[in-house]
Amino acid sequence: MAKQAFKAESKRLLDMMINSIYSNREIFLRELISNASDAIDKMYYKALTDESLTFNREDYYIKIDVDKESRTLKIMDTGIGMTEEELENNLGVIAKSGSLAFKNENELKDGHDIIGQFGVGFYSAFMVADKVTVLTKAFGSGQAYKWESTGAEGYSIEPCEKENVGTEIILTIKENTDDESYDDYLEEYRLRSIIKKYSDFIRYPIKMEVTESRLKEGSENEFEEYKEEQTINSMVPIWRKNKSELTDEDYVNFYQEKHYGFDKPLKHIHIKVDGTVRYNAILFIPENIPFDYYSKEFEKGLELYSSGVLIMEKCADLLPDYFSFVKGMVDSEDLSLNISREILQQDRQLKFIAKNIQNKIKRELESFLKNDREKYELFYHSFGRQLKFGVYNNFGQDKDVLKDLLLFYSSKEEKLVTLDEYVSRMPEDQKYIYYATGETNERIARMPQTELVADKGYEILYFTEDVDEFAIKMLMSYKEKEFKSVASGDLGIDEESQEKKEAEEKENKDLLDYMKETLSGKVKDVKISTRLKNHPVCLTADGEVSIEMEKILRAMPNNQEVKAEKILEVNADHDVFRSLKAAFEQDKEKAALYTNLLYNQALLIEGLQIEDPIEFTNNICKVMV
Ligand code: ADP
C-alpha cells in the first residue's frame, strides 16, 4: 500500500519529536498507557451498559512486553480499537487532538518548550522509537489493520490479522547515541519505575513479565531467576485514596496524565463527601490560561464518573461559568451508569454535587487568597477577569459569592488589594469607595480627575480592564460603601469647595454659557471643577454611562451608539482660566478658539479621538503666532 504523507502540522511536530533534545522522553509511556486506558474505558462502558454483551472484569487490561533482541517494546490493550478510518483520522493528524492548536506560530520554533507544555500523546512514541507499528481491531469490526510509520516521511495502513478487539503498539526502540541511552527503555526495572511514577492510578491492570529470583530448590544460598507476570500499578484511583497517602507530586502527575492542562496546577482540591449524596472529586486550579479560554471554543466541565466508570468527559453542569477554569473529575456511586445527558441536567444528585463543589471552590479560593497571596495573584492574573464577568453576568445574581475574591490595583498601596482591605482602611470622613478607569495604571495615576481625591489622601482603585466598571456597577456597594468614579458629578468631598464652586459659577455664568454654546452637541454642560488642582480642564460624565463605558460599548460588535453625557469641567484657579476670561471680555472669537482647544485637550487626556485633528493643530498654530 502506498505511503501517505502526514498533514503539515503533524510533520512539524514529528520532526521535533524525532530531533528533540527533550529531557523527559520517558513520558511517551505515560501517553501510550493513558490512550490504552481511555480505549478500555470506552469498551468497559459499552460492556456494562449494553445487555447483549457479557462482562468479565478480567478482560480489561494493558500489557507491556519487551524484547531486547528485536529492540521492541509492545503496549497492548483490550480497548475498543480503531477502524481503518479512525486510524487515518487519529494518527494521521495531530492537530485534531488539540495538542497542536497553538496560540501562535512562534511557539513552534522551540521544540523544547512545546513538548514541555503540550500533551503530545501518541506522537511522543517517536522520541524513543525509529519505527512505530499499530495493530488494531475495532469493536464490531471483522477486519484488523496495521498502521506503520518510520517518522516524518509518512505512514502506511493495510489490513492485517489480529484475533481480539483492541490495540497493540509496537515501538522499535532507537539505537543508543552518545548522549542518550535508549536501551533504558528496554530494561524491565526502568519500565517498571516509569509505570509506577506516572500510571500507578490507571484503573486497569498494567501487566508485565518481570524477572524475579528465588532460592534454588534444595539449596540454601544459590538463587535462580524466573519470569512471572505481575501487575505493576496499584490501580486504586487517586480520588479513592486518602489525602494523607498522597503527595503533591501525585496530584501533579495525575493532572498531567489526564491532560487537564499543559502547565502545572497552582492548587488541587481533593473532596470526599459521604453524606446523603456520596462523591469523590479532585479539582485543579491551573496556573496558565488555556489558549482558547476567553474564546467561544472553550468548553468548561469536569469529567464525570459513576462508580469509577467514566460516563462523561466534560460535564458542564458541574461548574458555574465563573469557575469554568477549574479542571478535574467527580466520581459518585449515586449516579446511574445509563444516565443520559438530558436526564442528567435534571438530576437532583448532580445538582447537589454541583452546588457542593461550587462552595468548596469558593472557600478554597478564599483561603488561598488569605494564606498564599503571591500565588493567588498568579491565579488572579489568569482568571480574575472571569470572576469579574461572574459578578456582572446574570444581573449580578452571583455577586455575593465572588465579591471577596476580587482584587484591584490601589493608588496608595501600589499593588492589588481586596475590597475588604480597602474599606477597612477608609478614614472616617470618607464616604465612598473611589475608582478611576483608564488604559494603564500609569495613565490613570496622571489623570486630572484623580487630583482632588488623591489630594484628600483617599485611596483610589484603578480599573484597567473593560469589565471592571461594569462589574462594579453591578456590585453597587461593598460593606455599605458605594462605589464612586473619580470622574462622577458629586464626589462627596468637602462642602466648602462646593460653595466656592457655586459662587464661581454664578460669577462666570456668561463665560460658561458661552463655552457651552460653542461646544453645543459635544458636551452637555460646562462647569467649574472642584476636583482639579494642576490641570486646566477635564471631562466627566453625568448619568449611568461613563466615558470608559462608552469606549467599550462602542468597540463591541453590535455597538448601540451609547454615549456618555459629557461635562467639560474647568479649573477656575488655573492661569488658563484667567486667559480665557480675558479673551471672553476682549475678543469673543479668541474665547471660542480657546474653548475648542481646551475641549480637545480634555478628549486627548481621556484617550478619546478628537473630531478634527487638522483643525486642532491649526488652532494651536493660531495661538502660537
Ligand atoms: P489524544 O489522546 O490527546 O486525543 P493522541 O495523539 O494520543 O491524542 O491520540 C489520538 C487518538 O487516537 C485518540 O484520541 C484515540 O481516539 C486514538 N487512539 C490512540 N491510542 C489508542 C488506543 N490504544 N486505542 C484506541 N484508540 C487510540
Side-chain angles (χ1 to χ4, degrees), residues 31-32 35-36 38-39 42 77 79-82 86 90-91 93-94 96-97 99 119-123 136 166-167 169 259:
E31 301 292 315
L32 297 180
N35 281 349
D38 290 348
K42 288 175 195 158
D77 68 62
I80 197 148
M82 282 177 273
E86 284 166 343
N90 295 339
L91 307 187
V93 200
I94 337 173
K96 228 190 90 239
S97 74
S99 321
V120 284
F122 173 75
Y123 284 73
T136 186
T167 303
I169 309 221
H259 291 175

Side-chain angles (χ1 to χ4, degrees), residues 77-333:
D77 68 62
T78 60
I80 197 148
M82 282 177 273
T83 60
E84 184 179 15
E85 205 182 342
E86 284 166 343
L87 264 181
E88 177 82 36
N89 289 335
N90 295 339
L91 307 187
V93 200
I94 337 173
K96 228 190 90 239
S97 74
S99 321
L100 256 197
F102 300 118
K103 240 187 304 181
N104 67 55
E105 280 286 307
N106 299 336
E107 286 174 79
L108 252 174
K109 294 199 180 97
D110 183 358
H112 186 96
D113 222 355
I114 280 203
I115 299 165
Q117 279 179 38
F118 295 86
V120 284
F122 173 75
Y123 284 73
S124 57
F126 286 99
M127 294 198 293
V128 299
D130 286 326
K131 184 167 86 175
V132 179
T133 310
V134 180
L135 304 174
T136 186
K137 188 169 177 185
F139 169 73
S141 147
Q143 181 64 56
Y145 288 91
K146 175 168 124 178
W147 180 100
E148 194 159 72
S149 169
T150 51
E153 304 96 74
Y155 60 92
S156 60
I157 297 177
E158 58 190 64
C160 71
E161 292 296 316
K162 185 178 186 303
E163 197 183 332
N164 299 321
V165 168
T167 303
E168 252 177 72
I169 309 221
I170 303 156
L171 311 182
T172 307
I173 300 293
K174 292 184 186 188
E175 294 293 340
N176 285 348
T177 62
D178 288 345
D179 29 46
E180 187 80 35
S181 164
Y182 293 100
D183 284 358
D184 263 21
Y185 305 116
L186 296 165
E187 292 298 340
E188 206 182 282
Y189 74 92
R190 183 83 164 92
L191 294 168
R192 269 168 93 157
S193 85
I194 301 174
I195 294 168
K196 267 298 207 198
K197 179 167 170 193
Y198 296 108
S199 311
D200 197 46
F201 309 122
I202 293 287
R203 301 193 306 120
Y204 307 100
I206 303 170
K207 299 180 184 178
M208 195 169 129
E209 289 261 305
V210 294
T211 315
E212 295 286 348
S213 61
R214 64 183 162 210
L215 271 179
K216 254 189 175 163
E217 222 174 321
S219 161
E220 277 181 20
N221 49 17
E222 254 190 287
F223 286 87
E224 63 176 2
E225 290 193 335
Y226 68 101
K227 291 262 182 193
E228 179 185 272
E229 190 177 86
Q230 287 182 2
T231 296
I232 311 294
N233 54 330
S234 75
M235 282 197 292
V236 180
I238 176 169
W239 58 90
R240 291 265 175 81
K241 294 206 168 184
N242 282 326
K243 291 173 215 182
S244 56
E245 293 172 62
L246 296 161
T247 63
D248 283 349
E249 205 193 344
D250 289 330
Y251 289 104
V252 172
N253 279 339
F254 181 66
Y255 182 84
Q256 293 181 337
E257 173 197 300
K258 281 290 193 175
H259 291 175
Y260 287 144
F262 305 117
D263 51 354
K264 276 201 176 149
L266 269 185
K267 197 171 182 50
H268 64 257
I269 308 171
H270 191 159
I271 309 173
K272 284 172 171 285
V273 173
D274 226 353
T276 35
V277 177
R278 290 161 296 175
Y279 79 95
N280 294 326
I282 296 188
L283 311 177
F284 292 99
I285 296 168
E287 175 172 356
N288 297 333
I289 316 182
F291 65 89
D292 60 351
Y293 188 61
Y294 290 109
S295 80
K296 280 208 300 286
E297 279 71 49
F298 181 80
E299 275 182 77
K300 64 166 183 174
L302 299 175
E303 285 183 314
L304 184 61
Y305 289 77
S306 156
S307 304
V309 181
L310 183 68
I311 56 173
M312 200 184 286
E313 277 173 78
K314 273 205 170 142
C315 181
D317 298 316
L318 284 168
L319 286 177
D321 279 342
Y322 51 84
F323 290 152
S324 61
F325 46 80
V326 174
K327 300 280 173 178
M329 52 75 51
V330 173
D331 184 13
S332 173
E333 299 162 49

Side-chain angles (χ1 to χ4, degrees), residues 382-393:
S382 296
F383 302 109
R385 195 177 159 72
Q386 189 65 12
L387 299 181
K388 292 186 244 178
F389 277 122
V391 170
Y392 174 73
N393 283 342

